Structures are given as structure tokens and as C-alpha cells.
Amino acid sequence: MRLARFQSTLLGGAAICVLANQAQGQTQEPATAGSADDNQPGIQEVVVTARKMSESVQDIPLAIDVLDAATLAQRGIVNVQSLQGQLPSIAIGEVNGIAQITSRGLGNDNFAPGSDPSVGLNVDGVVVSQPGAQLGAFFDLERVEVVRGPQGTLYGRNTTGGAINLVTRQPTADFSGYGTLSAGNYGALTAEGAVSGPLAGDKVRGRVAFKADRHDGYGNNLRTGDDIDDADKKAVRASLLLLPTDKLNIALSGEYTSEDDANYQIKYGEDSFPGATSPSLIPPGPQAGGSFATDPRDLNTDIDPLNDRETVSAIATLSYFATDDLTFKSISGYRHYEANSLRDFDGTDAALAGAAIPMQTDQYTQELQLAYQSEALKAVGGLYYYKEDLESDIRIGANPFGPTNALTISQNGAVDTESVAGYANVTYYVTDELGLNVGGRWSWEKRIGDANFTRLGTLFPFHTEGSVTDFTPRVGLEWQPDQDVLLYASYSEGSKSGVIASGSTTPILRPEEVTAYEAGVKSTLFARTLQANLSLYRYDIEDLQVSRTLPGSTPGSFVSVFENAATARSQGVELELVWQPIAGLQVSSITGYSDAEFTDFLTVNPLDGPTGVLENQAGNRLVQTPEWSSTLGLEYRFDIGPGSLTANAQAQYQSRVYFTPFNENRTSQEPVTRYDASLRFDPHDGRWYASLWGRNLGDELVATTKFVIASGRFISGQYTPPLTYGVTVGYNF
């Protein structure tokens, strides 16, 4: 019945869009920046390259959203976590410094080294493989493109949930640049800038961009008095654009980022087994005379936490424009990511156990791509190669840097991954209004994992490996009865290969498989003053990859379990509206409804303790997937004296979010609404600007995750930033 109501809503919305647009006539032209109509309401056209060719986002038969550089700055979107609330059906979590990006119920709740994201993050066409590396800063970006749904026929790396594409700014033909400086509470200070221009006439262009970001801690370690959840981040990117001929360009870039702080800390929430009398169920810290912090933003630990990360990456993109219609592209990428973290494992000031979690990866990718575009045909095809070598050494014990045989647990492991794929996506326009889309991806992937797992001095060597060959098709239909209305429907399949948790004794998982159905309508109505996009989807999921931890048989030990859930289903509807009723005023809203649940999943709840029994979680909601999420935004720009003022306000609501498959309120975030606001002044010459801003104005405590620390016998949590406010000034040249 729910699905039938969704279908009726979609068809009704599509009919309204078509009739409304026919009523207003077909004489409207897209407004362009700098035109004589700047003082008139009119939604601007946004051009993206999500399908490997330049297209208006409203002409793409996909659920896609775009945030340009101005929007990123205005909303304070500085990393992937701050995308929360900006996109329909996208939830952003974080645990132990690992990004958990969930789209329409598909995400990654495995925070062990070696896990794969279900939503891919790409920088200039090169995937960022490790979820921990996805938390890097956004800087000097032209735009962010977010595509929902299984991806494989357009991108090198296959994903089941979607893709987030970061498109960086390229070197310019003229000397130009910018600089911004932000200061705020918690001692926050952020500097960002770039310089760009010609280096050798019109044949060589260069660009250098940087960002430095620091703030004091949002909490403290009460035992030592030091900050936690602070930030000290630095990033620099150098780019070259070589233009040897009119048909050939070569883009080269290198990037370095680092973090050296005490960010991403897990906090005590409550005991796992309140009222328990058995020592095996009572938190070991208090048993040893220790105590937890009472404020959820603080710690009280004898070990000061550490977060130390470095990334070095390089991208080389060669583009050859054979004709006006045909383009060949080669994209080569390398990324070295290294992370070292240290934290107190028992969560108290008792000297019991610490956890050191060092890991590093080297990732190589090569993609060859051919794109053809004419009035009747759009086609993209490619070959893709991916290789990653990962090493990790998780050490838990009274002295995590001591001898292995003295540790409670040591998980030393390596995972090697190699993948080859070929993909194609073709759209043929049967008529000017009707297009048929057909695509497919063939892929082969192999993973090899070797572990030296040690528990209480006993070594358990372990080896696991597996390979998979898969073909995932896509078929779609698009109909454009009017230049400003597009209706589409598609069937697609997606696959995420079986992961290996580095250092553990868990065999390689089976691939996560998704069958996706989607239909939608995109429209720009009433002289381009109203943009209305509606999408309806259903996913049938098999072998969903999930993780959990259970108390071990020995006090202070635990067992990590990584497994395939049997089956799950996710279906829902998304509505996006942008309205410009008068010049200078814009009202926008995002609403998502999700009915996402396990349909068959027999497993054991960690909160049932070591004697827990298998129970079917069928009917429970999928993790990190609120039933309702909505965002309302208001922006008003008006002239004042020598310039203009822009006032912006946003409210973000989400219903209850469960962080485990067991749907217990103790491991969830209750319904919450957050508010942001800003006020910006721009002089008429556009050379500089100044803005006042505030985020999370209600100072809400919003969890990004809650999970059971089995060895510590307590439920932990991590949280989004508290109320922050400040001022930003910028200068363009």
C-alpha cells in the first residue's frame, strides 16, 4: 500500500509539472549570470560532469544534487560530515575517525581497516578508497556532485549506494586568486587561499591552493586537562594544466594533507548492562577504581588520545579531443594514506588498557575512458584498474606499544586488493523527446588477507582470500515532453565486493548485492521561478555487510563479528523544491521519506551478553537511516549602500536514527532539529566580502554514532560539533 501511494504521488506530481509548464508557454530562456535579468527572479542553470560530459543537472535522468563553491562557503560545508542535512536521504556518521556515509539505507558500519564504503568519494575522478581518508578537508573546490543509487556504468570504482564527486578548481588563463580568513569560538582560526595563472604563455597554467584549520577542543580529558575533539589540519594542492595543442590537455595535481590533534574521540554514554552483578558484565574501569566522565563531550582517561594522519596523492589526467563529439581521457591516480590513533580502551582513569590503531594504504588506479556526444547519442565507455595494499596493527593492552605477547589483543594484518573492470553507458534518443539508456559493468576483483591475531599471548595466524566476477546492468527511459520537464525511470544493479577486516579472523564476506528501481520527474516551472524534483526508489538488498562486537569469554576481551545480513529492503520518496518568488528571495526545501528495514537477518545482539541467542531482526530499520529527514532554507539578498546583504537561515530535521540493527533507543539518536544562520555583506565591486555565521544555534547534542564497546562493557557515542559562531572575511583578485 505504501509503494502504491508513492507511485500515485509520483505520477500526480509529474502530471502537474507537465501541465503547469505547458500553461506558462515555451518562450523562456535559461537565465545566465551577468545578464540584464540579474534583478529578476530566475533559477540559474547548473552544468555538471557526473555522466562524464557537460550537461545541465536538470537534464540528467538521475537523482543528483550539486553544491557549488558559493553554496559550500555560505553553508559552512568544510568536510564530508558537514554535508549532513544538505542532501535528501544522505546520512553522515563517523566512528573512530572512520566516515560512515549512508545513502537510502546503504552505508558502511564496519570501522575496521579494510572496510569498503557503499558510497564512494571521488576527487577529480579518482576514488578515495579508505573511509578514514574521506574525512579530509574540502578546499578550493569548484563544486560537489552527489549521485544517489548504484554506480558502476559511469565510474571506475563500483558502489552500491552512490557517489560523491569533488571537483577541484583548475588553473586559469589569467592571474587570479583569493584568500579567506575565519575566526570563531573555541579559538577557531581557518585560512584558505589560492593563486592561479599562466606560467609559460598560453601553453602552461598553474595553481597553488592551501588550507589551514585549527580550533580548541569541544571537550576535555578531565584526568590530564588536555583538549579533545580539537583540530589541527593542513592541506596544500599544486596543479598544472598543459595545453600543447588545441586538441590535447594534460592536468597534473599533487596534494598533501595532515592532521595532528585529538579529534574523533568516543565518549562514555552508559553501562551496557545496568544493574549487572557479574564481573564479566560490569565495566572493568570502575571495578579497578576508575570513573567515567559525566559530560558526554568529555573524557576521563589516563591515556591522552591521539589522532595523526597524512595523505599524499597525485592525479594525472590526459584529455584528447579527437573531434567536437569524441573525447578520449586517461586518468591515473596514486594515494598514500597513513593514520595513527591512540585511545583509552576502558574509558576511565584506571590504568587498564589502551588501544593503538596504526594503519597505512597505498592505492593505484588507472582509467581509460571514451566519451561520445551528439544530438541523437550519448555514450561513455571505459576500462578500469585498481590496486590497494593495506597494512594495520591494532594493539590493545595495558601498554599498547609493548611486546605482542603481553597484549590483551593484537590484530596485525595485511589486505591486498586488485580489481579490473570494463563499463559502458549509452543513451540513444529515439525522438527529440524520448531517450533509451542502456549500460553495463563487468568487473573482477580479488582480495587476500593475512592476519597474525594474538589474544592473551596466544597467536592465531589466519589467511582468507576470495575473488568475484560480476556483471551489473542498467536500463533506463527518459522522456522530455517540454524543455523544462524531464520524466525518467530506471532499473539497475549494484555490487560491493566482499571485504576483509584487516588483522581479524573473520573470513572474507560475500559481495553486497543491490537491485534498484527508480522513477522521477525534474521540472523548472513558472518562468524558471520554481524548480521541483521528485524521485521514488526501491532497493532489494542481498548479503548486506554489517558488523558488531561481542564480549569474549575472558574478562576484558571481545570478539569482532563481520557478517552478511540475509536480505533487506529500502524504499522511499524524495522531494526537492527551490522557489524564487521575487528578486533576491529564495526558499528551498528537501524532504525524504525512507521505509528501510531488514527482511531476514538472524544474529545475536551484543547487549544480550555472552549468552545471547540468535534472533531474527526482520522488520528493524536499517542503520543510519531516519524515516523522515527534511531541511528548510531561506535566503534573502538586498542592496544596502555600497553593496548588498545576504541573510540565510536553515533548519534541519531528522527523525530517530538507529546506529545498530537491533533498534534499541540506547544506541540511537532521538529526533532532532538543528538551526544555522549567516549574514554576508558584498560590495558592488565584488572584490571582498565579510560574513557573520552561526551553526547548531540550539547547541543540540547530536550523535553521529553509538555502539557497544564490548570489552569495556559500555555504550559509547560520538557527536557533531556544539554551537559554533564566528566571522569570515574574503578577498578576490
Side-chain angles (χ1 to χ4, degrees), residues 298-348:
D298 291 334
L299 291 177
N300 185 38
T301 59
D302 60 299
I303 296 176
D304 255 339
L306 168 71
N307 170 57
D308 185 5
R309 304 176 184 221
E310 283 190 343
T311 300
V312 177
S313 64
I315 301 173
T317 303
L318 182 151
S319 301
Y320 180 69
F321 304 93
T323 68
D324 292 342
D325 300 327
L326 184 65
T327 302
F328 169 80
K329 187 174 288 188
S330 168
I331 307 173
S332 307
Y334 166 76
R335 177 176 292 267
H336 173 81
Y337 171 66
E338 189 170 337
N340 295 282
S341 64
L342 175 67
R343 65 192 68 223
D344 192 293
F345 211 64
D346 58 90
T348 72

Side-chain angles (χ1 to χ4, degrees), residues 54-66:
S54 296
E55 302 172 284
S56 169
V57 70
Q58 289 296 99
D59 291 337
I60 300 177
L62 296 172
I64 177 173
D65 287 276
V66 182

Side-chain angles (χ1 to χ4, degrees), residues 193 215 454 569 669:
H215 63 73
T454 303
R569 182 206 67 220
Q669 168 60 52

Side-chain angles (χ1 to χ4, degrees), residues 12-30 43 58-59 433 479-487 521-533:
I16 291 171
C17 292
V18 173
L19 293 174
N21 209 54
Q22 290 175 344
Q24 64 173 312
Q26 302 182 19
T27 61
Q28 300 297 327
E29 294 295 331
I43 298 170
Q58 289 296 99
D59 291 337
E433 295 84 19
W479 178 45
Q480 196 163 17
D482 181 271
Q483 64 177 357
D484 290 329
V485 175
L486 172 70
L487 292 91
V521 56
K522 294 184 175 184
S523 61
T524 309
L525 311 172
F526 305 115
R528 301 192 65 84
T529 61
L530 176 65
Q531 182 173 289
N533 294 344

